[in-house]
Amino acid sequence: MTTLDVAPSSQPVAELGRRRRPRPDQVAMGLLLAATTTLYTVLLPRSGWGNPFYAGAAQAGASNWSAWFFGASDAPGSITVDKPPAALWVTGLSVRLFGLSSWSLLVPQALMGVLAVAVLAATVRRVLGPWPGLVAGLLLALTPVATLMFRYDNPDALLTLLLVLAGWAVTRAVEDGRTRWLLLAGALLGLAFLTKSLQAFLVLPGLGLAYLVAGPPRLRRRLGQLVLAGVAVVVGAGWWVAAVALVPRADRPWVGGTTDDDPLSLALGYNGLGRLDGQEATGGGVSRHHGSSVWRLIAAGGDQAGWLIPVAALALVVGLVVVGRAARTDRTRAALLLWGGWLGVTGLVLSTMRGIEHSYYAVQLAPALAALTAIGGTLLWRRAGRPARAALPARAALVAGVVVGVATAVQEIRTHLLHPSAVLVLALVLGVVGVTAVAGLARRRRWAAGVAVAALCVGPLAWSVATAATPHSGTNVTATPPPVTAAGWRASAREESGISQAALRLIGTGDAGYAWAAATTGHHGADIQLATGLPVMDIGGFAGTDPSPTMQQFVADVTAHRVHWYVGGVSGGEDAVRIRMWVQAHAVLVPAGSTVLYDLSGLAGS
């Protein structure tokens, strides 16, 4: 019996080693995600609770499963916040697992941002390859308003991630025509509706148009698939609405932001058409100097993402021209329709809405802007590499895009960075070098592309870093930063409850047997709740104008020994005013520094 000792060849081992070595684009993607994680997480506690209204609701949900499910602002469940609860489900679970802290509230938002960058990069990669995907992810990561929202506990972080995931699912559907991807996209959009109501549906026209035009099956089947996707949207959004409607009013919180306790009224009214037609009070700090036009979006409402609007619009138009003769199922055209429809509808709504709005709504533009810029730029780049005469139009359009992008970025640097000299000079230098390099694409094409991308990114990078260095708190935040200094990076977060320390000490003691340690008008109750760790009733919901509780309900709670203190000094709606007048007439005013504080314990049983 002979034994064959076959020595392994060194060549296959070497080839195996080379195969296992990561590709340059993989290394670059890893570096991008690591840098994005750093940008979105460094010194997060400096922002304290972020938005205390949602932080208080997360605190409540962490201690009571019913409050968590309904999105109540307090553990006993008197009233919900003025948004659906999906974002609070995430933060509530985080607080339940890790305890209440800035990290447990804000890190989930940062991780959503990193995941959104990764998913957008993967989506564009499926269309044009790894490097365009990397550029799209980079542009999203450096969008100033994205840096703001992914470091903040508003619902917009989850909304953006879910919408990008829906875009990825539709992209997969365009590839193979399978219904399951459209059903997944519909379910994701339904969950996005449970995050921020009708705002989630602004991307629907773009997603639907992309598949209707470019889906592989025949038209009749495509229409049927889209109907099924619509059913998935309704189911994904409607199950929670149905659950709220089926639970008796006495067993759940009042739906905040409504006058009729109906979650559909919240979605269609306060968070929907009321913000479009102005029926809801204007606010949010967005300037209307330019009226209802795209200039308002660029100059006032969307400047935190608007530095890419002119470039993305140019990329969309030129990209559609480039793929004009492609087959119906061309993936690149489908991507342009998807992201172009996303950008067009969202931009139109944000430019013309008359009601409550905030500049950070522009974060919903960021994925489309990043994707269109990367896709259009790549198409032109590849065309510009052809023989000189055939490449001239593409090269001219590419140069125009770089010029427009750098000019817009320079304008934003001058407007929003208080000491912009160094960044401004760097952006101008990179812009000049980038335009020169792109104009002469015959040699060192990769080097020219890198400089052009750097020229577009240097301004937003500085803006995003400054935003990350700035503490943000309250209900209306912007990515417009103050100057950044070393001392600024070391500054600690300030936790302000809005009431005196004497009042906090009184509220924090003697709460045994009470469902609510205190009650006050509007969202200010969240500050007290976070400071004391005890449930506080938000009379009238966020703005204090909701008809819950009524004066009769409040009196019943007081006499039943369920509310201990009343914090005055805040105005509200009719019911809130009646409650305040009743308290002033019957309760005992207790000295508590600058805070108007009433002791309700003596009214129990009366």
Side-chain angles (χ1 to χ4, degrees), residues 411-484:
Q411 177 60 32
E412 299 298 346
I413 293 169
R414 293 181 57 196
T415 303
H416 296 286
L417 296 183
L418 298 185
H419 297 288
S421 301
V423 178
L424 192 62
V425 170
L426 181 59
L428 288 172
V429 170
L430 286 175
V432 172
V433 174
V435 169
T436 304
V438 169
L441 286 177
R443 300 177 181 177
R444 299 181 182 179
R445 300 183 70 240
R446 293 183 179 178
W447 175 82
V451 174
V453 172
L456 290 177
C457 290
V458 62
L461 172 61
W463 192 353
S464 290
V465 169
T467 297
T470 305
H472 293 90
S473 62
T475 58
N476 181 36
V477 291
T478 67
T480 303
V484 179

Side-chain angles (χ1 to χ4, degrees), residues 52 494-509 517-538 565-570 590-598:
R494 297 179 59 190
E495 300 296 344
E496 298 290 349
S497 64
I499 67 173
S500 67
Q501 291 299 314
L504 288 179
R505 284 193 296 269
L506 288 170
I507 293 172
T509 58
T520 191
T521 301
H523 61 87
H524 307 283
D527 299 303
I528 305 171
Q529 182 171 286
L530 291 166
T532 62
L534 300 172
V536 176
M537 179 188 292
D538 291 341
W565 301 96
Y566 176 87
V567 180
V570 181
V590 177
S594 59
T595 299
V596 179
L597 186 66
Y598 291 89

Side-chain angles (χ1 to χ4, degrees), residues 231-304:
V231 172
V233 172
V234 173
V235 173
W239 69 269
W240 182 83
V241 175
V244 173
L246 292 173
V247 175
R249 170 68 186 92
D251 298 329
R252 62 167 177 81
W254 179 274
V255 178
T258 71
T259 59
D260 58 1
D261 194 28
D262 185 351
L264 282 180
S265 296
L266 175 66
L268 301 178
Y270 180 80
N271 287 328
L273 300 179
R275 303 201 177 206
L276 293 178
D277 59 19
Q279 291 184 14
E280 295 299 332
T282 57
V286 174
S287 170
R288 290 172 174 77
H289 175 69
H290 295 284
S292 298
S293 73
V294 69
W295 297 113
R296 188 182 87 191
L297 178 64
I298 296 176
D303 50 7
Q304 300 167 81

Side-chain angles (χ1 to χ4, degrees), residues 125-221:
R125 176 192 180 114
R126 301 192 72 88
V127 178
L128 288 174
W131 291 107
L134 184 71
V135 171
L138 174 65
L139 294 175
L140 173 60
L142 295 183
T143 302
V145 71
T147 301
L148 173 71
M149 285 292 100
F150 291 132
R151 294 174 58 91
Y152 202 68
D153 53 340
N154 266 23
D156 300 78
L158 179 60
L159 175 69
T160 303
L161 172 60
L162 291 172
L163 296 183
V164 173
L165 284 169
W168 172 83
V170 172
T171 300
R172 294 297 304 270
V174 170
E175 292 177 8
D176 57 24
R178 295 185 179 181
T179 306
R180 65 183 184 185
W181 298 119
L182 294 174
L183 295 178
L184 175 60
L188 289 167
L189 288 172
L191 185 55
F193 176 85
L194 295 183
T195 303
K196 215 173 178 194
S197 300
L198 289 185
Q199 187 176 340
F201 292 165
L202 296 180
V203 306
L204 264 175
L207 301 185
L209 179 63
Y211 190 77
L212 182 63
V213 171
R218 293 185 177 181
L219 177 61
R220 186 173 181 177
R221 177 169 173 77

